[in-house]
Each structure stands twice: as structure tokens, then as C-alpha cells.
Amino acid sequence: MSMARDHRRFLGRVGGAPTRPRRRGGLLLALALVAAAAPGQARNLALLVGVGDYQDEAIHGLEGPPHDVTVLRDLLIQRWGFAAPDVHTLVDREATRAAILRGLDALAEGSAPGDEVLFYFSGHGTSAADPLTSLPLPQSSGAIVPADAKLRASVHEVVKSLIVGKDDLRPRFAKLDQGGRRLTVLFDSCYSGSAARGMLGFPARYQDFSRAITDDDPMTRRRHGSADRPPADPWPYDSVFFLSAASDWEKADDVPQALLRQRPTLDGKPHGAFTDALLRVLAGQLPADGNGDGQLSHEELKAALVREVKSKGHDHQPQSLPQAKEDQHQLAQRSLFGHTASNVARPTARPPYRVRLEGTLPALREQLARAPGLELVSGTADLVIKRTAQALTLSTGGGEAVSTFAADAGALVYDRVMQLNWFHQMSWRGDADNPFRFRLGLSDETRGSRLFRGEKFSLNLQLDRQAWLVILYADSSGEVAALYPYVAGEAAPLAAGQSLTIPAAGTPLLVVQDPLGTDLVVAYAFTERPAFLEALVGRAKLATNESLYQQIVAAVAANPTGVAVATLALITQERPAK
């Protein structure tokens, strides 16, 4: 994408799984929670919901959700300070709409100010952004699909059978929030209908509701096929942190029994890809304490989940709320469940950048085999290079487009791979080895990392120390530009705690243009003014073999304690068809 100088659709997922008949009324649950309370002592309470088996046989099932709930419950009790009576589960057909809402009401009734509360949902999901179904859901919301959801019904009945975030969950979350509870919400489900392109054909945690849509229905005429993204609603809570498996335009993968040999899970049983990563962190198998302070923050948890989901070849990216620019209560830095993470390790060794070659590419193979920090593989890869008669294509391990070159452009492909390898190194450093906190994202983080042709967007940065910023932007062809500093006034330092939007308010936004693929943004925060700063001003292009670019790379490599790094990969593509 070349440059020219806009989710809270949050609560959405749908799902199904095998039947495990159990019934627990909301009143009984509330009584159990109250009975377990110890006066004056903060507690951890959880409602875990996993739906893989639906009453409506037209809704396809999922294998992972029942196992997700079982293992998560055990880990919460064994390793994360939850008492068994305070962890309640609803699995498969017992997870009806009424039962889930009663369970949330019971959490409010049975908890007290200062308690840590977890609501976890595993199953199917949808949102207003879904271009296939376009259900008349609130623009700034999504929906989760309970066990008794209806598919073979009128649109009105279908929507009424869902649990809609803005209508059903927001009032209950607000009650917990206003009552002084610290609420963590984890959703392993889909938000939208953008194409799932898993390399192994993972089933998506998504149910197509398009058969419920008719052009004659007045509820759908105004929404059918819309691909617009309205502005996100302001985050309405003070103490609610939300983490999801995917953005509102992505499907989340389920790892079924048939694919366990290729994608083994923590316990060898089917799980959601997001939940398997979560379970590995909670079990202490996946290092996640990025700064080694003995606390697992929400921010560190998200970074670990993003790395793990991506490394397994899944093309959905975990997302969190509130966004950085509105996180006034620093929820991203809050410890998960208020718990000391002595059982979670700090990441140490950076994994190699894994590349798989498909087709006859002997010269490129020889070059890449000698590249430091890179490993040629035959299985799961971070990057796949495929040669056809017409082109050399680069894609992620899950099939997401990265770059396309002419069939005879082997030298350009090598340069692009080296650029991607450098980005991999910088991403690891930013997640696991930064000297201070530095955040980079889209100004509207609810979009995830997926942008469509013609969309306008901006970036947002935050850091904990005064620093001078350098931001480089590489489009999918590998062409590099200095995005910041762009004018002379931007060569001044950014104050500690300051939030910066790029481009600044009142100036033209960035626009998604050709070439489409995967664009890379790398931001550096220098605690001392770099000598080359002024030379970057106004550099629309920056060749990777020129002296100025090499000075930046050398300065970053030579000063690990004085330079923080933040990275962002943007997937740019055509809008979904209406």
C-alpha cells in the first residue's frame, strides 16, 4: 500500500458442541456464590461458557468449546487463585440464552466490590460487520450465539435468540463495573464473515446466518451487504478489560480432532486456537511475562497470544479493549486476575523466522539458507514463498497475502524476505525486551490490523519516557518511507505519558492504496536525540541500502537499553463483496 498525506463491535460469537446435560438455575448459582463469600476478603469468580452443540441442527457444531471450558476451569483453580465453588460452567445445550444471562446476573449478586470477575465465552459469533449475513445488529456491537439460538426462523426471531453485546451484555457489565468489580472478559469466537483462509482448513467459529436473510424483510433492507465501518463507541467502563480471538472482520479458528497431528494442542484435545494459546500461558508453558517483573499484565497476555496464534498459522489476531488512547485507568497494565505471575516465565530466546519454499527456487533457497535468524522449513512457517509461471507470491503460514512479485524478480523477493525477517526481530524485541513501555496501533484499534482499499486511517503511539521518535513504513512491495518525522517540528521529543496521533489532527489521513498485501510499520523511541533525525524529515522514500537507513538500523542494534521498539503489520485488501 502506498501512502497519501476510521469495534466496539465487541461482543460477538457463535458456536456449538457435544451435549453434556447439566442444569443450574440462576438463583442456585447466586446462592452458591453468596455462600462461598468470606467477609472482607476479595475473591476470584468466573462464569465459563462453551457452546459446541446447538439445539437448531442447522447451526454447525464445534469440537473445541467443551474442552476449552474444562481445561480453563482446572487451570483457574489449580494455578490462578480461584476456589472451585466460585468457578461456574455452562457447556453445550445447557448454555441457553436465559442461562447465560442468569449466570451473569448471579455474578453481580454473588460478588462484592474489589472482587476479580471473569466471563469467558467459547463458541460461534457474528457482528453487524459481517458482509454475508448483515443481521440488523447495533452498529457498535456483535453477538454471541447461545445453545438455543435459531437459524431457521425470521430475521427478527434470529436476532432475538442471540445475546447481543450492546443490548444484553453491556448493561450487565456496567452493573459489575459500577459495583466496584474488576471484570475480565475473554471471547474465543468470530466477529465477522471475512474469508477464513487457514492453511489446513480450520473450521471457523462462525455460523452463516445468510439463509435467515431475505430481501423482503424490512429489517435487512437498510443493512444488507454494508461494508462501512462506523466510528467506535467510547469505552463505557472504568474497570472492564476485554480480549477477543479476532477483530470484527475476522473469523477465529477451531482446531478439531482431525487436525491435531498437524496442530497439536496443550492436552491433545480439540480447542479454539485462541484458547489453546491462552491455556498454554495459564499453564506456564508459554512465556509471557515480557518485562520479567513477576506480574502478567493484560498487555503482556495479549502480546503472547498474538505471537502464539500467528506462529501456528492462524490468520486472526487477538484484539483488546479499551483502546490505548482511552485507557484512562491503565487497564492494559493491570495484572491478570490481580494475581502474581510467579508461574509464568519471561520470554528469552527469539525464535527464528521460518520460511517455506514451494516450487523450484534453487538460487533463492541457497541465499536464504545463509541468512542469519532465518530457518527454512517444510512444515508450519511464518512465510510461504510460492512460484508460479506468472509470479512469485509471499503469504503468511495461514495464506494471508504479503507480497507479489514478477516470476523473475528473485532479488526483490530476497530483499523483501530480509525486511520481513528484520520486522520479526523488531516485533520480538518490542514484545519481550523493551527497556520501557511503548505502544503502537491504529487510532481505531477495534479494526484489528485489516484495512480495505480506499480506507483512511491514522496511527496512535504512547510511551512511558521522554523520547525522540522515528517511524518507518514499508509497503507490500518493500518500498520504505520515513513516516515520522515528516516535518521539522516533529523532530522534537515526545513527553513521557504523551499520546501521539499520526498524522496529526487537522491534517490528511493515511489512505490504503496499491499495492495491497501486508504493510509494515516500525517505530523507534530513542532516549537520546539521534544524529540523523533531521535528515529523515520529508523523506518520501528511503532505500534500505543507503547510508541513512543503515544508520538507523545500527543505532537501534547498538543501544538496546536506550531504544524501545513497537511494530504493527497491516493487512491491506479489497473490501468484501456486498
Side-chain angles (χ1 to χ4, degrees):
M1 180 194 79
S2 62
M3 293 181 298
R5 263 298 247 176
D6 139 82
H7 172 123
R8 202 112 310 162
R9 327 192 168 276
F10 132 65
L11 307 166
R13 299 243 169 97
V14 193
T19 306
R20 297 185 181 180
R22 280 181 289 176
R23 297 194 179 276
R24 186 178 289 116
L27 177 60
L28 180 59
L29 174 57
L31 290 174
L33 291 170
V34 172
Q41 182 178 351
R43 297 151 60 219
N44 291 349
L45 304 95
L47 174 63
L48 314 180
V49 180
V51 190
D53 183 31
Y54 285 86
Q55 296 177 17
D56 189 332
E57 295 180 357
I59 300 177
H60 72 82
L62 294 168
E63 297 179 37
H67 302 294
D68 292 343
V69 167
T70 297
V71 181
L72 178 57
R73 178 185 183 277
D74 291 345
L75 287 172
L76 292 177
I77 294 169
Q78 295 167 9
R79 297 174 61 87
W80 290 89
F82 287 74
D86 290 335
V87 181
H88 295 269
T89 63
L90 293 170
V91 178
D92 289 338
R93 295 197 179 191
E94 68 181 358
T96 63
R97 184 180 189 279
I100 295 171
L101 297 181
R102 282 199 305 267
L104 286 169
D105 292 337
L107 282 177
E109 295 299 323
S111 60
D115 286 347
E116 294 279 347
V117 177
L118 167 65
F119 175 47
Y120 167 86
F121 177 83
S122 171
H124 281 308
T126 188
S127 84
D130 180 358
L132 291 181
T133 64
S134 298
L135 287 172
L137 297 170
Q139 287 280 5
S140 57
S141 184
I144 59 176
V145 183
D148 56 345
K150 298 177 181 180
L151 179 59
R152 294 173 292 192
S154 69
V155 174
H156 176 74
E157 291 174 318
V158 169
V159 173
K160 195 173 180 179
S161 72
L162 304 177
I163 294 178
V164 179
K166 199 166 188 178
D167 298 336
D168 300 312
L169 296 180
R170 180 166 172 171
R172 290 170 170 85
F173 291 174
K175 184 175 181 180
L176 286 162
D177 183 51
Q178 294 162 8
R181 282 68 164 172
R182 293 155 58 105
L183 176 62
T184 302
V185 182
L186 304 175
F187 275 11
D188 191 354
S189 61
C190 297
Y191 273 172
S192 73
S194 58
R197 287 168 280 183
M199 179 177 65
L200 296 175
F202 295 97
R205 297 190 157 202
Y206 164 79
Q207 174 63 48
D208 182 1
F209 281 87
S210 59
R211 70 186 68 186
I213 303 296
T214 65
D215 289 335
D216 294 332
D217 194 314
M219 293 186 68
T220 63
R221 288 194 195 114
R222 59 187 172 87
R223 283 285 306 134
H224 189 55
S226 173
D228 296 332
R229 301 194 205 211
D233 288 349
W235 190 239
Y237 314 108
D238 292 332
S239 194
V240 178
F241 185 83
F242 173 70
L243 185 59
S244 70
S247 76
D248 62 338
W249 287 84
E250 293 176 325
K251 292 180 181 179
D253 290 337
D254 203 49
V255 182
Q257 186 73 38
L259 294 179
L260 287 176
R261 179 172 294 183
Q262 297 98 315
R263 291 290 190 277
T265 59
L266 175 68
D267 59 352
K269 295 180 180 179
H271 286 289
F274 169 86
T275 296
D276 182 58
L278 172 68
L279 297 176
R280 290 176 187 272
V281 171
L282 298 182
Q285 183 188 100
L286 185 64
D289 183 10
N291 59 10
D293 66 352
Q295 303 288 326
L296 178 62
S297 69
H298 292 142
E299 190 171 65
E300 289 171 328
L301 173 62
K302 177 187 174 182
L305 298 182
V306 169
R307 287 196 305 270
E308 179 70 4
V309 169
K310 181 180 178 181
S311 74
K312 295 296 178 65
H314 303 283
D315 277 327
H316 53 93
Q317 180 169 309
Q319 305 294 322
S320 64
L321 293 171
Q323 300 183 64
K325 64 183 180 182
E326 58 186 359
D327 189 6
Q328 299 178 0
H329 301 281
Q330 298 185 323
L331 300 182
Q333 299 177 64
R334 192 174 75 186
S335 297
L336 182 66
F337 311 138
H339 196 279
T340 299
S342 57
N343 51 7
V344 177
R346 181 177 188 179
T348 52
R350 174 177 57 83
Y353 188 60
R354 302 164 300 173
V355 178
R356 187 174 77 243
L357 300 178
E358 296 183 356
T360 305
L361 297 162
L364 182 60
R365 180 181 295 275
E366 184 177 348
Q367 281 184 297
L368 295 179
R370 299 194 298 266
L374 188 147
E375 179 183 2
L376 294 177
V377 298
S378 58
T380 303
D382 300 299
L383 182 71
V384 178
I385 304 174
K386 185 175 183 179
R387 181 173 188 170
T388 66
Q390 295 78 29
L392 284 165
T393 62
L394 282 63
S395 61
T396 66
E400 201 76 72
V402 174
S403 303
T404 301
F405 295 92
D408 59 353
L412 293 178
V413 171
Y414 177 79
D415 290 343
R416 176 63 166 165
V417 175
M418 292 301 97
Q419 187 180 78
L420 292 163
N421 185 27
W422 173 252
F423 182 82
H424 173 74
Q425 295 178 40
M426 292 298 97
S427 296
W428 177 264
R429 176 167 165 176
D431 286 345
D433 202 24
N434 256 353
F436 53 90
R437 185 170 177 267
F438 184 27
R439 295 186 67 180
L440 166 68
L442 291 175
S443 293
D444 182 0
E445 292 181 300
T446 60
R447 298 173 176 219
S449 59
R450 198 175 299 270
L451 296 168
F452 303 121
R453 184 197 297 276
E455 275 199 283
K456 297 179 180 180
F457 68 97
S458 60
L459 305 174
N460 181 265
L461 299 96
Q462 293 182 331
L463 72 169
D464 284 352
R465 295 188 192 174
Q466 174 179 290
W468 285 262
L469 297 182
V470 171
I471 306 175
L472 302 182
Y473 195 114
D475 69 16
S476 65
S477 71
E479 186 174 285
V480 180
L483 186 60
Y484 193 96
Y486 188 75
V487 296
E490 294 176 343
L494 189 70
Q498 183 179 344
S499 177
L500 177 68
T501 298
I502 302 172
T507 60
L509 298 177
L510 304 175
V511 182
V512 178
Q513 300 175 355
D514 288 332
L516 302 180
T518 299
D519 295 357
L520 311 176
V521 187
V522 182
Y524 304 108
F526 294 83
T527 55
E528 296 184 2
R529 184 186 183 91
F532 51 76
L533 201 61
E534 281 78 8
L536 283 171
V537 173
R539 289 298 302 267
K541 291 185 180 181
L542 187 64
T544 56
N545 61 356
E546 70 174 277
S547 174
L548 180 56
Y549 182 86
Q550 297 301 326
Q551 287 181 57
I552 298 172
V553 173
V556 173
N559 194 4
T561 61
V563 183
V565 182
T567 62
L568 180 65
L570 298 175
I571 302 166
T572 63
Q573 57 190 201
E574 299 288 355
R575 283 184 180 271
K578 293 186 177 183

